[in-house]
Amino acid sequence: MFSKILIANRGEIACRVIQTARRMGVRTVAVYSDADASALHVAMADEAAHIGPSPVGESYLRGDRIIEAAKATGAEAIHPGYGFLSENPDFVDQVTAAGLVFIGPSAASIRAMGLKDAAKRLMEQAGVPVVPGYHGEAQEIVLLASKAREIGYPVLIKARAGGGGKGMRRVDHPDDFPEALSSARREAKAAFGDDRVLVEKYVEKPRHIEVQVFGDNFGNAVHLFERDCSAQRRHQKVIEEAPAPGMTPEMRKAMTDAAVKAAKAISYSGAGTIEFIVDASEGLRPDRFWFMEMNTRLQVEHPVTEMITGVDLVEWQLRVAAGEKLPKSQKEIALSGHAFEARIYAEDPQRDFLPAIGTLHHLSFPTETPAGSSMRVETGVRQGDAISPYYDPMIAKLVIHANDRSSALQGLTEALKATRIAGSTTNIAFLAALSQDADFASGDVDTGLIGREQETLTAIPEPGGNIVARAALAASGARPAGAMTDDPWASLSGYSHFHPIERRTVLRRSEQELHAGVTAQPDGRYLVRIGDGTATVLSKTDFQDTVSWPGHVTVFADGAAFTFAVPDPFASAEEAGGSAGSMRAPMPGLVKLVRATEGETVKKGQPLLILEAMKMEHTIAALHDGIIAEIATEGEQVMDGTVLVRFVEEA
């Protein structure tokens, strides 16, 4: 076994690898960029090496610097995690040429499966079913459009490299094909450096079911059952589970046999995932699944497989890379219970899941789970850390295991509702709503479920009077009896000769400004008046699930986080956001394409520019009719709130 490994990654996956390595007595080396100098994975590792500035192209994608760090620290092997260089065969060649071990498959295996078109041709030869489509080399738009007509609309344009939904577009009509193709190519080029695509038949009720496979260097290959990843938004997974709901023994055998056959076809070694698209229009049938792609690395959702099998996949990775045989045979791998994983992101579901940034002023996860279930939290951040615009905005993965699906789902819902995050917008309320959706709860899920129900799943009710009152109470500076504080007035119960002292405060939420008065009562409770409305009486228990952070108060209720700004009466600042005269960037990003010019008259809803953030494209459309006075330039890097468009002011 290795004595020391370097982890060529960051965040939660780096922390995850460190945990297993530590248990096995293997020392670890972390790498970090400028933005990650004080990150959790750096603090957890035995050693750390700086590899460059914050942008990934200058740090985590610099294979040469990573290899230099490994050699300088005496690491014997490199674990790539997922993303970044994990599926880059050239990097694997560089690692082995440097006399180090790559903890993963061979460069040849990665190349064989790295491009979707070539991989599908290879799978056809191996007898693995593939989805109908065009997987050829020619990329002329006339040919691709012709193939789309032959296949029959709707079709799916997919980048032949990479994954994660990037460079993927559904097209329902021939007239929309050219624009969708251009957009997919731009996104694919930005994400993977390769703008070539393939065109496939779009399955009307698709389920995304994948099989975890594992191979060693002695010709052995096994599966560790399947995962269902059909709950997706914008082609990116949200909640994964294992095993797949509705799975029959016949269907499982057909899929796992095909997955192992695929792994053996390329002499695969290490952890890998064979992804299948399944037509669920008539239930799960052995003749209705097709190979999509292979991920030649550890998956984000690997914990659900670990929970139902009791296998530590990272440990297996280290053992196989160190030259050992697979720790278990197929007969020794058993499936037990059911597991869910929910991906908690800094993003705004009400704004079409736009990535968010911010400082995690409050971060806490539940300490208890319902009886009969177990929980693990995979995270790479701590309270006080900042969500950077440079990297994926994942905060944590919440994983629940129980004896059956219903119990595991109940545990997931309760754990989500008990998770508290303030300082950045998150998708927790959305995840909690999805976990309670009737179709999802019944197992009737396909990749279009979230899209169909997005408005309902992302809706957050306006805060009721009790929530507003609790926010006002927290903003007033009050503390429950016995709380430690240096402020002698914090209890609001100072001396008053005639009447109880009332502390006034102001709250802002969206465009609404709320004025409140808080008065301490002789019995230890508080009277809260909002404007001229009805007063609310609160007790010390109402301090629970409420946190204050610089300039804000957040109240947690039933999985939702209601945040109010608390204006500083002695300071004022220009507010960010769109106005009648301007439009501002909704997130940090790169102005990828500008579709309007200064002086142009535009209509409401007309696309003005395309902003690229987190390697995904977001169209910025006019909020109203008007004449453009000024517009951002292509290639400009902007921050959240940067003015993108100014309109000519009406006389």
Side-chain angles (χ1 to χ4, degrees), residues 410-432:
Q410 178 185 350
L412 179 67
T413 301
E414 294 186 16
L416 286 167
K417 290 183 176 182
T419 298
R420 307 283 185 256
I421 300 176
S424 177
T425 304
T426 75
N427 65 341
I428 293 175
F430 159 74
L431 293 171

Side-chain angles (χ1 to χ4, degrees), residues 231-249:
Q232 301 180 7
R233 52 103 174 100
R234 296 168 63 173
H235 304 295
Q236 292 184 311
K237 302 165 187 174
V238 174
I239 295 180
E240 301 99 340
E241 61 181 298
M247 180 61 67
T248 65

Side-chain angles (χ1 to χ4, degrees), residues 278-295:
V278 180
D279 180 356
S281 58
E282 299 179 28
L284 298 183
R285 291 174 41 176
D287 62 343
R288 296 291 182 89
F289 74 91
W290 303 279
F291 171 86
M292 280 200 304
E293 61 182 307
M294 182 179 189
N295 293 125

Side-chain angles (χ1 to χ4, degrees), residues 303-524:
V304 293
T305 294
E306 294 184 325
M307 295 291 257
I308 65 166
T309 62
V311 169
D312 184 329
L313 293 175
V314 174
E315 178 181 342
W316 279 32
Q317 284 187 299
L318 296 180
R319 293 194 180 283
V320 167
E324 298 181 21
K325 290 184 177 181
L326 289 177
K328 291 185 178 182
S329 67
Q330 190 66 70
K331 292 182 179 179
E332 295 174 303
I333 303 171
L335 188 159
S336 175
H338 203 99
F340 284 94
E341 174 184 290
R343 302 187 187 188
I344 299 175
Y345 280 98
E347 63 182 14
D348 191 345
Q350 292 192 302
R351 299 171 70 189
D352 199 24
F353 301 99
L354 288 179
I357 58 175
T359 299
L360 301 175
H361 291 286
H362 182 84
L363 176 67
S364 65
F365 300 100
T367 56
E368 297 181 359
T369 55
S373 65
S374 58
M375 178 184 68
R376 59 191 262 194
V377 178
E378 306 275 314
T379 186
V381 295
R382 299 156 295 188
Q383 183 166 298
D385 286 351
I387 302 298
S388 165
Y390 296 104
Y391 314 118
D392 184 271
M394 181 186 286
I395 296 173
K397 301 184 305 193
L398 199 59
V399 190
I400 300 290
H401 177 265
N403 291 332
D404 55 73
R405 187 176 189 271
S406 177
S407 299
L409 188 57
Q410 178 185 350
L412 179 67
T413 301
E414 294 186 16
L416 286 167
K417 290 183 176 182
T419 298
R420 307 283 185 256
I421 300 176
S424 177
T425 304
T426 75
N427 65 341
I428 293 175
F430 159 74
L431 293 171
L434 177 59
S435 71
Q436 298 172 90
D437 176 80
D439 288 336
F440 186 83
S442 69
D444 183 17
V445 59
D446 61 79
T447 59
L449 172 63
I450 292 176
R452 293 191 301 271
E453 303 295 332
Q454 184 167 330
E455 184 174 350
T456 300
L457 293 172
T458 59
I460 297 179
E462 285 301 308
N466 181 268
I467 290 175
V468 175
R470 288 163 60 192
L473 181 61
S476 72
R479 296 290 185 273
M484 296 296 292
T485 176
D486 294 328
D487 182 1
W489 300 101
S491 68
L492 300 183
S493 58
Y495 172 77
S496 176
H497 190 66
F498 294 108
H499 302 289
I501 298 172
E502 181 181 68
R503 177 170 292 188
R504 305 292 297 175
T505 188
V506 178
L507 300 174
R508 286 180 184 169
R509 181 172 169 82
S510 299
E511 301 299 321
Q512 188 177 18
E513 187 170 277
L514 303 167
H515 294 263
V518 182
T519 306
Q521 303 296 293
D523 61 1

Side-chain angles (χ1 to χ4, degrees), residues 431-621:
L431 293 171
L434 177 59
S435 71
Q436 298 172 90
D437 176 80
D439 288 336
F440 186 83
S442 69
D444 183 17
V445 59
D446 61 79
T447 59
L449 172 63
I450 292 176
R452 293 191 301 271
E453 303 295 332
Q454 184 167 330
E455 184 174 350
T456 300
L457 293 172
T458 59
I460 297 179
E462 285 301 308
N466 181 268
I467 290 175
V468 175
R470 288 163 60 192
L473 181 61
S476 72
R479 296 290 185 273
M484 296 296 292
T485 176
D486 294 328
D487 182 1
W489 300 101
S491 68
L492 300 183
S493 58
Y495 172 77
S496 176
H497 190 66
F498 294 108
H499 302 289
I501 298 172
E502 181 181 68
R503 177 170 292 188
R504 305 292 297 175
T505 188
V506 178
L507 300 174
R508 286 180 184 169
R509 181 172 169 82
S510 299
E511 301 299 321
Q512 188 177 18
E513 187 170 277
L514 303 167
H515 294 263
V518 182
T519 306
Q521 303 296 293
D523 61 1
R525 295 186 298 170
Y526 298 91
L527 181 69
V528 183
R529 297 183 185 275
I530 305 297
D532 297 325
T534 305
T536 302
V537 177
L538 300 175
S539 67
K540 62 182 181 181
T541 60
D542 291 301
F543 283 95
Q544 297 173 1
D545 297 331
T546 302
V547 298
S548 299
W549 47 286
H552 299 80
V553 169
T554 298
V555 180
F556 301 103
D558 199 33
F562 298 94
T563 295
F564 301 82
V566 183
D568 182 346
F570 300 104
S572 62
E574 180 182 355
E575 293 188 15
S579 67
S582 66
M583 293 177 62
R584 297 176 183 266
M587 65 203 146
L590 176 72
V591 178
K592 193 69 174 180
L593 186 67
V594 176
R595 293 184 168 180
T597 59
E598 294 181 7
E600 181 178 346
T601 300
V602 297
K603 297 291 185 182
K604 179 180 179 180
Q606 179 178 333
L608 302 182
L609 52 83
I610 292 176
L611 190 67
E612 180 188 278
M614 308 296 181
K615 299 301 181 182
M616 299 288 283
E617 291 188 353
H618 308 272
T619 300
I620 306 298

